[in-house]
Structures are given as C-alpha cells and as structure tokens.
C-alpha cells in the first residue's frame, strides 16, 4: 500500500524558484511509491490552515516544498493537536531561500530527501514551544532576538529577493543603527534574571539560521534541550571583523560569547521586540520557551 503524503508548496519560496521547480521534484517523489496530495499556498499563513485541515482529516505525513517558512507553517498547523492526537512526520523538498533546518543533516537538498523518502528513514525531532503575549508558536529550528532579528527585519523588508545575500545586506544596513538592549531572561528557573545588554540571543534546536550561518554549533535537534547562545555588546568594527565566524560556528569561543543547554527559558520583556522564528520575521512579546522532546518525526 502506498504511503500517503500531503505536500504543501509555497511557489513564492526562493524568489519564485520553488514555483518553477516544484512539479518536477514532486514527480520524483511519486516515483518512490508515495501517494501525494498537493496543495499550493497563495499568501502567508495559508500553509497553517492547509496543514491543520489535513491533520484533522487523518493525514499524518507531510512534505514541505519550499523553505524554512513552509515547514514552519506546517508545524504550526499540526500542533498543538499533534501532541495528543497522532504522531506526525515531516519531510522537506528544499526549494526556498534558507532551508536552514535540513542543513544540519545534509547539503545535498532534494537528492537527500528523495533517498530518505524511498528508504523510509525517520528520526525523532524535538519541537520548541514559544509562548508570547498573543498566543503560542511551535518551531523546529531557531529563535533569534536582538541584532540578528533586527538585521532579519531589514533584510525581509528591503532585500528579500536576494536570498541569503539579502540577510548579509541586512546585517550591514543595521550596523548603522547598532543597539545593545537588555532582553531580560532566565534559564531553567534560575533565581536571577539576566538583564545585561546583549548583541543577540539565540535559542536553538538546530545549528543553522539564515541558510548557512552556524549560530548554534552544539545544537542537537533530538537531545531534549534548547541550545542557548548569547553575545555581549560588541562595537561595529569588532562585529564586522568577527562576522565570518558566525558561518563556521567558531564565534562561540569568543570571550564575549556564552552558551548553555536549557530545558526551558522565561522572558521578562516590557514590550514586543523583533524576533526571527525559523526564518519568519515577527514582532512579539515573548513570555516563555519550552522543549517538547521527540514530538515530531522528520524524514532525513
């Protein structure tokens, strides 16, 4: 019996690249013996509704055809119901801009996914739950606050069509307005809040963000822990000098950097701030972050 998958395609992903290449990629998936139902999104957020409806109809196998934003919408469509109503599986046809999550496992993209689907390879993956003042968000990659999120907001607004290069342009543009803000937080119920000004904070389930930036090199998406990375304030010239280290993961050895594993995080923000969640630029007043160990199967 063929295995049934619900594929959600974002044709706008990758600057329209996904719309051009998706049909051929999906045909290759069909040739592995999969029974595919395909739906396309036409606006942001539609993937959430499509995934939620499919899950309610009994679908448990999903395929994200696009970038990190496509898988983000599927995850938020199937959770929180997936915590109690049947374990889902998620595969990736990476035709978007960043495809950061899949980079933890391969740089071969579609070829890797086709093989994983054909062989039925599954791996348990943690899911992160972010509670904020207006609701909750589920994600599998990374939450960034501070400079990284501010640069992402600029890139999304001005340079989105440039893909990964657009994020670098956002970093350079944001340097002119470099800020070091206090973003009060504490890990695992610590007695004291960390109210020190920071360059950025990252809370990761996997290693990469923005495509190839290895913000959290010690993250493991199946260890039941949140990988926390913080950089203390840094001047413009020193930031530019150290910027290449974000692509190799060696930045965590800098004297101004720190990291730690955590089971949960609390925030004490006075107002909404820019955040990037799995490539999505949002403005949220974060309240808490927790890990849901092994809550999702990924096809990798």
């Amino acid at each position: 019996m063929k295995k049934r998958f619900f594929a959600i395609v974002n044709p706008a992903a990758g600057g329209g690249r996904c719309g051009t290449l998706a049909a051929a990629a999906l045909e290759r998936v069909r040739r592995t013996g999969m029974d595919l139902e395909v739906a396309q999104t036409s606006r942001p957020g539609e993937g959430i509704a499509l995934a939620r409806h499919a899950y309610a109809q009994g679908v448990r196998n999903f395929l994200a055809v696009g970038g990190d934003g496509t898988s983000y919408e599927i995850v938020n469509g199937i959770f929180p119901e997936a915590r109690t109503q049947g374990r889902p599986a998620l595969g990736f046809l990476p035709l978007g801009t960043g495809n950061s999550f899949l980079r933890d496992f391969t740089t071969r993209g579609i070829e890797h996914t086709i093989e994983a689907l054909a062989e039925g390879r599954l791996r348990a993956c943690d899911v992160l739950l972010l509670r904020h003042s207006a609701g909750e968000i589920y994600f599998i990659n990374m939450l960034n606050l501070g400079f990284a999120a501010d640069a992402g907001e600029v890139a999304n607004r001005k340079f989105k069509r440039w893909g990964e290069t657009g994020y670098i342009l956002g970093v350079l543009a944001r340097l002119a307005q470099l800020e070091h803000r206090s973003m009060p937080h504490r890990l695992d119920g610590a007695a004291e809040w960390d109210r020190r000004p920071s360059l950025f904070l990252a809370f990761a389930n996997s290693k990469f963000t923005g495509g190839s930036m290895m913000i959290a090199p010690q993250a493991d998406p199946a260890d039941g822990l949140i990988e926390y990375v913080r950089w203390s304030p840094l001047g413009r010239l020193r930031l530019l000098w150290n910027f290449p280290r974000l692509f190799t993961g060696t930045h965590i050895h800098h004297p101004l950097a720190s990291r730690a594993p955590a089971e949960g995080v609390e925030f004490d923000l006075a107002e909404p701030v820019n955040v990037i969640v799995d490539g999505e630029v949002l403005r949220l007043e974060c309240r808490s972050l927790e890990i849901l160990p092994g809550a999702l199967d990924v096809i990798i």
Side-chain angles (χ1 to χ4, degrees), residues 118-135:
E119 297 172 13
R121 298 200 304 255
L122 294 175
R123 171 174 169 167
C125 176
D126 302 334
V127 175
L128 276 68
L129 168 56
L130 172 65
R131 292 189 172 91
H132 56 94
S133 59

Side-chain angles (χ1 to χ4, degrees), residues 244-263:
R245 299 177 68 173
L246 296 174
F247 293 86
T248 61
T250 56
H251 64 285
I252 65 166
H253 304 302
H254 192 281
L256 294 177
S258 58
R259 60 153 299 273
E263 294 182 355

Side-chain angles (χ1 to χ4, degrees), residues 1-5 25-37 61 63 113-120:
M1 183 178 177
K2 289 185 177 182
K3 202 166 189 178
R4 182 188 176 200
F5 271 80
L26 289 167
E27 182 55 34
R28 292 186 63 189
V29 172
R30 287 190 176 94
R31 291 201 293 268
T32 68
M34 301 298 166
D35 180 10
L36 277 183
E37 180 181 353
N61 299 307
L63 193 58
T113 298
I114 297 293
E115 291 174 7
L117 286 164
E119 297 172 13

